[in-house]
Amino acid sequence: MDNSVNGWYGGNTMINNYGTISSITGGTFSALGTGVSANESYTANKRYLLVTYSDVTVSDITMDMDGAQNVMVYAISGTVSIDSGTYTIDADDTSSLFMTADGAYVAVSGGTFSSEVEPEYCADDFSPKANEDGTYTVDKVYFGISGGEGETIPGTIYSGEGKSVMFVKFSAAYIGTDEGYSTTAYPTTSKTYTPSSSADSGSYIFAGWFTDSEGENACGTDMWNESTECYAKFVDANTLSVECFFTPYSEKNALRFFTSQSQVYADAGFDLYIDNEAVENAITSVSYYSSSYSVGGTQTSPLKTYTPSTFGSAAMHIVTGRYYDTSKTTSFSVVPYWTTQDGTTIYGTETTYSCSGVTSQAVLTSSTN
């Protein structure tokens, strides 16, 4: 349909929804030509493919527009929800995919587009994403930086999706100042990310800020400015888990804990709880090993040998700690943690152990909370 010359202002609108249409599903709509004024006393005006005055859901359709002065979807009131379909418009600075009047919204949660979907037109919890073929879509936002005034800056998955280590790219993010953005929002319990492949299971946890996408240059709190482009590293949550080895003695129980960390962390260790009460400075002699550590049995025949890979492919070191329980406590809980170079402390899953009935060297069985 060439609707560029007949009509008021920018030409005819292909679809006008005054409240009688609640959904548009399937079909192909093509608008040809340039939006120009039919009356020479007016300057050039926009031409629209879809104009809506009420809520409408758009699914599985194809929309095409060529020429200049075009707007594909114009929401005057209500919300246009787009969850799928293909939308192509000429790459012209006079044309745009969407336009909204005050109080109206476009909410994109799916589909393929010829140009980037601006963040203001993304549905809640979605952000713009570029496809490898040069088209654009939106993707679920699993990570965001909480700003000083309560706003959220979304991140884009840069690499490693579905693998044990993933990097999320943020632009113009800065931390360490009262006006800046803080990593203390990580990990967001309501926005955990589940890998899309079966390479690793579970969710991701925050593992530090980096100036590069390889995780080699860790950031401290003094390395940021407003124009910095940065990468947040996330690793499989199983990397920050814990095992407990129990050695009974005649007068006390010796407990050794194992978890993992990376050499770029500022600190790592364990918190211990008995009857839901934290025991201050309970776990001591925290040490780090980059290769292996054997425990129990004899030197030539240990009961178990730990390596970083015990905790997954993202682990780079082993962390050990000891607790001597002089009261022969039979049940306790342990939470492993690490602190990244920027000062963010991340806690692993709380694990509960029982020493009851254990009379020999053993890796204690556990339950997670």
Side-chain angles (χ1 to χ4, degrees), residues 108 115-123 126-131 136-141 154-157:
V108 178
S115 57
E116 183 178 16
V117 179
E118 296 180 15
E120 64 186 283
Y121 299 124
C122 294
F126 283 83
S127 66
K129 180 181 179 181
N131 295 323
Y136 298 84
T137 185
V138 295
D139 198 9
K140 190 77 171 175
V141 173
T156 302
I157 297 173

Side-chain angles (χ1 to χ4, degrees), residues 120-170:
E120 64 186 283
Y121 299 124
C122 294
D124 289 345
D125 295 335
F126 283 83
S127 66
K129 180 181 179 181
N131 295 323
E132 292 183 358
D133 62 1
T135 61
Y136 298 84
T137 185
V138 295
D139 198 9
K140 190 77 171 175
V141 173
Y142 298 97
F143 310 103
I145 303 173
S146 294
E149 296 181 359
E151 75 275 28
T152 297
I153 305 299
T156 302
I157 297 173
Y158 181 84
S159 64
E161 184 174 7
K163 299 181 179 180
S164 60
V165 178
M166 181 171 63
F167 287 90
V168 181
K169 182 179 179 179
F170 293 90

